Amino acid sequence: MLLKTLTRRTWTLALLVLLVSPARALAEPPRVLVSIAPLHSLVAQVMEGVAEPALVYEASQSPHSSAMTPRQLKAVVEADVLFWIGPELETALARLLPRLSDNAQAFELHDFDAGMTLLPMRETLFSVPGTGDDHGHDHGDIDPHFWLSLDNAQRFVDFVEARLVEQDPDNRDRYRSNAEQARIRLDTLGEQLNDRLSTSRDTPYILFHDGFQYFEHDQDLNGLGALVLNPDIPPGPRTIARLRDMAAPLERVCLFREPQYSERWLMPLVDNLDKATLGTIDPLGQLSEPGTGLYADMMLRLASDLAACLGDA
């Protein structure tokens, strides 16, 4: 009698496992991977309370040139969904895409650019067409740094929301609520940026690497241009001489570098300019803590660093 009871219970438990396990598997949220910290922050806001997206590039890495680590390869292999910009920016990541599983989806810029304002790549300040000065660092025709425009960030949030609802309908209400909150935060952020830059818009400045024009357009700043398209090649003596001639009639000028590129490359420029100040801007959020708050922290830090240098230039 006891044996029959145990057998009946065993079969009942086995049947319950068969019935429940598939439902649990289907309810699991997708494993989401995001290439760079600013996009990761926006995706994390939409996914908050559901799951944590993984981030490909660490703060110390440049998406332009850094080699991929075994950890990053593992993250790609395990991802269900990848949000990235494309081979124009994340060069090494592009080579790992064949490692994605057959069922994984990879979304890049031209999948989610509907409604965005995309800007063409600009020539550098002293580029000579046809000389090959910038060979080896091809961004393509479109400037890929779209996330520095708040309007574009709104469109990206819209796309992420739609894709996550498709992938994980069980959590659709949470995704939609989170996305709406993210859009409200972006509106508030725009007001904060306007306040921080209200007295800094007329002062001219020069960039080391041109990854900043979306922010310039959004905030109506007086950027003169960039010195190099390839940030892995320092400016040479001819660039220094031309920059000195350009800056001579200006009352003041600020030179900005990104934190992953050496300050020593720009010191010869500052030393050769009587009215120059060297500042740091961080359009990849490398100085901010990854997560939901990074995007706002990065954008406000950009505004503060610009205002500080332009005010002191």
Side-chain angles (χ1 to χ4, degrees):
M1 184 68 180
L2 178 60
L3 181 60
K4 286 183 178 180
T5 302
L6 289 174
T7 301
R8 191 178 297 113
R9 287 178 178 175
T10 301
W11 277 105
T12 302
L13 287 172
L15 181 60
L16 285 172
V17 168
L18 288 173
L19 291 173
V20 173
S21 294
R24 284 180 177 171
L26 290 173
E28 287 294 317
R31 291 168 294 188
V32 176
L33 181 64
V34 191
S35 60
I36 59 173
L39 301 190
H40 175 267
S41 178
L42 295 171
V43 174
Q45 290 179 44
V46 180
M47 296 187 70
E48 190 170 17
V50 178
E52 178 75 24
L55 173 63
V56 176
Y57 287 97
E58 299 173 356
S60 59
Q61 292 182 301
S62 165
H64 297 305
S65 56
S66 294
M68 305 299 281
T69 67
R71 177 199 67 81
Q72 291 164 320
L73 173 59
K74 182 175 183 291
V76 170
V77 170
E78 294 179 347
D80 297 316
V81 178
L82 168 66
F83 294 105
W84 69 310
I85 293 169
E88 301 87 358
L89 187 75
E90 304 101 321
T91 309
L93 178 58
R95 294 193 287 269
L96 291 185
L97 288 193
R99 302 293 189 93
L100 284 169
S101 70
D102 293 338
N103 295 324
Q105 290 186 291
F107 299 110
E108 60 181 278
L109 177 59
H110 294 299
D111 294 317
F112 50 74
D113 64 1
M116 290 186 180
T117 298
L118 297 181
L119 303 174
M121 287 300 300
R122 299 185 291 191
E123 295 288 340
T124 55
L125 275 171
F126 309 120
S127 63
V128 179
T131 62
D133 289 345
D134 297 318
H135 179 70
H137 189 73
D138 181 19
H139 274 309
D141 296 329
I142 299 297
D143 185 336
H145 305 83
F146 75 90
W147 64 89
L148 294 177
S149 160
L150 293 178
D151 287 340
N152 288 348
Q154 295 260 16
R155 303 291 78 74
F156 180 70
V157 167
D158 294 344
F159 182 85
V160 171
E161 174 194 2
R163 298 293 77 74
L164 291 177
V165 167
E166 289 176 355
Q167 290 272 334
D168 184 19
D170 288 347
N171 288 301
R172 66 166 67 88
D173 292 341
R174 189 61 182 264
Y175 293 137
R176 287 170 176 167
S177 175
N178 286 346
E180 182 58 27
Q181 290 303 309
R183 286 185 282 267
I184 292 172
R185 284 192 290 268
L186 287 170
D187 288 337
T188 302
L189 180 58
E191 298 171 1
Q192 294 171 318
L193 293 175
N194 184 63
D195 290 342
R196 292 199 183 190
L197 293 167
S198 59
T199 61
S200 305
R201 289 192 165 89
D202 295 330
T203 305
Y205 63 89
I206 295 171
L207 304 167
F208 170 58
H209 166 238
D210 195 6
F212 204 60
Q213 67 167 324
Y214 286 97
F215 196 91
E216 287 180 8
H217 279 252
D218 259 22
Q219 302 302 323
D220 194 27
L221 301 173
N222 189 19
L224 301 181
L227 298 177
V228 299
L229 183 62
N230 185 344
D232 298 311
I233 300 176
R238 184 172 62 179
T239 297
I240 294 174
R242 290 177 173 178
L243 180 60
R244 184 168 57 245
D245 293 341
M246 169 182 276
L250 300 175
E251 292 184 7
R252 53 184 183 172
V253 64
C254 225
L255 297 173
F256 287 107
R257 69 177 183 92
E258 295 167 45
Q260 70 268 34
Y261 303 122
S262 175
E263 181 177 306
R264 63 184 174 81
W265 286 1
L266 283 180
M267 288 313 298
L269 303 177
V270 177
D271 293 340
N272 278 273
L273 297 174
D274 295 332
K275 298 164 288 186
T277 303
L278 181 61
T280 300
I281 53 172
D282 181 26
L284 281 170
Q286 294 182 324
L287 301 178
S288 301
E289 184 70 24
T292 56
L294 178 139
Y295 186 83
D297 184 72
M298 176 195 72
M299 296 291 275
L300 291 171
R301 187 190 298 269
L302 282 174
S304 295
D305 290 344
L306 277 163
C309 192
L310 296 177
D312 294 338

